[in-house]
Amino acid sequence: MEKCIIEIQNLTKYYGKIKGVEDLSLKLYEGEIFGFIGPNGAGKSTTIRSIMNLINKTSGKVFIEGKEFVKDDIKIKEKIGYLPSEIYLYNDLTVKEMLDYHESFYKKDIHKKRIELVTRFKLDETKKIEDLSLGNLKKLGIILAFVHDPKILILDEPTSGLDPIMQNVFYDLLKEEKAKGKTIFYSTHILSEVSKICDRVGIIKDGKLIKVESMEDLTKKNLTFVTLTSEQLEKIKKDLNVNIISENKNTIKFRNNLTSDELIKKISKYNIDKILIEEFTLEEMFLHYYK
């Protein structure tokens, strides 16, 4: 049986009358990378800040390994590596001074891990934080989140600012952490990332969780585009009751949620001149849920 590591129960956060997130319930399991996707403003960061107790919830609870996570619970905080979408640190410190300061928080020796991560991400420890580019600041944030070998990683838009080479370094790191049994909550609006690394995905829209699915099941969905040319187009449209995307003379393109077998059986009684069946991309699948 899968071990539940994070459980969110009926999380709601309003900013006055403005909804941030509403009645969100979700379970994350040991050893999975869970992709939390939606466009900017959908409620991803509000959810993460509420989980981390960085903002007060309107209602709802968060449990870590069965224990409610409250603001002052140091024991639970030690288990979490958190990377915010925007990183604010002490600008007058050098990278080395910031990492030294961070190391001082932990009773265990994390210096070896620090050296490994600094080398891996090619970060110059002599630079002042105020002089770091967005990409190098994000590298530092990643190191701070991972260096104490946390059991849980909560990452908000982690690759923004990273160049493609460093993104691949980061993906490799995530896969290694997953192999160690870490639980990773990965918030992003970049859909290509989700297909590369995530086991399951949750889609959030206007502060509501509208879909949770395994990547395997999501990509197996019978969602296709069909382009069809026929002299009997009007009869076909009426019979299939299709969601038409475009139409030109005797050709239509439509979204199809039938299996190929079901589709062929339905249209076999008509004279078809041409037919093209194309699979949805992840982006198109996302838009299907977001219409």
Side-chain angles (χ1 to χ4, degrees), residues 23-41:
D23 198 29
L24 187 148
S25 294
L26 182 64
K27 290 182 178 181
L28 274 70
Y29 298 98
E30 188 172 44
E32 78 165 332
I33 302 178
F34 185 90
F36 193 51
I37 63 174
N40 293 328

Side-chain angles (χ1 to χ4, degrees), residues 57-241:
K57 308 171 192 69
T58 302
S59 61
K61 294 180 178 180
V62 176
F63 295 86
I64 305 290
E65 295 188 302
K67 183 183 178 186
E68 186 176 357
F69 182 23
V70 294
K71 188 174 284 189
D72 297 325
D73 195 326
I74 302 299
K75 291 286 185 187
I76 288 180
K77 287 181 179 180
E78 287 176 352
K79 296 179 180 182
I80 299 173
Y82 170 55
L83 178 66
S85 57
E86 296 178 3
I87 300 166
Y88 298 101
L89 299 169
Y90 300 106
N91 280 338
D92 56 336
L93 296 183
T94 63
V95 171
K96 181 182 183 305
E97 288 168 339
M98 185 68 233
L99 289 169
D100 287 344
Y101 180 51
H102 190 75
E103 258 191 69
S104 71
F105 299 155
Y106 297 95
K107 293 175 184 175
K108 63 181 180 180
D109 185 0
I110 61 172
H111 192 71
K112 185 179 177 183
K113 183 74 171 179
R114 163 186 165 174
I115 293 169
E116 175 199 321
L117 289 169
V118 166
T119 303
R120 192 166 188 172
F121 283 96
K122 297 181 169 59
L123 189 60
D124 184 351
E125 288 197 20
T126 65
K127 282 194 173 181
K128 274 200 164 187
I129 287 170
E130 64 183 357
D131 296 329
L132 293 179
S133 66
L134 178 60
N136 281 324
L137 187 61
K138 184 54 65 84
K139 290 180 194 177
L140 178 54
I142 290 168
I143 292 166
L144 293 172
F146 281 73
V147 71
H148 59 291
D149 199 27
K151 187 170 186 177
I152 300 162
L153 289 153
I154 298 178
L155 312 172
D156 195 357
E157 301 286 353
T159 60
S160 62
L162 294 182
D163 64 45
I165 293 171
M166 282 298 129
Q167 285 180 21
N168 286 328
V169 170
F170 179 66
Y171 296 148
D172 288 343
L173 177 62
L174 282 182
K175 290 169 186 173
E176 289 166 19
E177 296 301 302
K178 169 184 158 59
K180 295 175 187 173
K182 308 291 180 69
T183 300
I184 302 168
F185 190 37
Y186 191 103
S187 169
T188 184
H189 68 279
I190 303 170
L191 297 179
S192 58
E193 294 186 340
V194 174
S195 57
K196 283 180 184 175
I197 57 169
C198 293
D199 302 295
R200 288 193 302 147
V201 62
I203 300 172
I204 186 169
K205 177 182 181 182
D206 299 329
K208 299 279 285 185
L209 188 65
I210 59 171
K211 192 74 179 174
V212 176
E213 193 113 50
S214 74
M215 281 307 304
E216 185 179 4
D217 287 344
L218 194 63
T219 53
K220 280 181 182 174
K221 288 284 184 191
N222 295 313
L223 294 172
T224 55
F225 290 122
V226 176
T227 305
L228 186 148
T229 303
S230 172
E231 296 288 341
Q232 297 176 282
L233 213 52
E234 291 305 316
K235 289 182 180 179
I236 293 170
K237 282 158 59 178
K238 190 174 180 182
D239 189 8
L240 294 181
N241 190 25

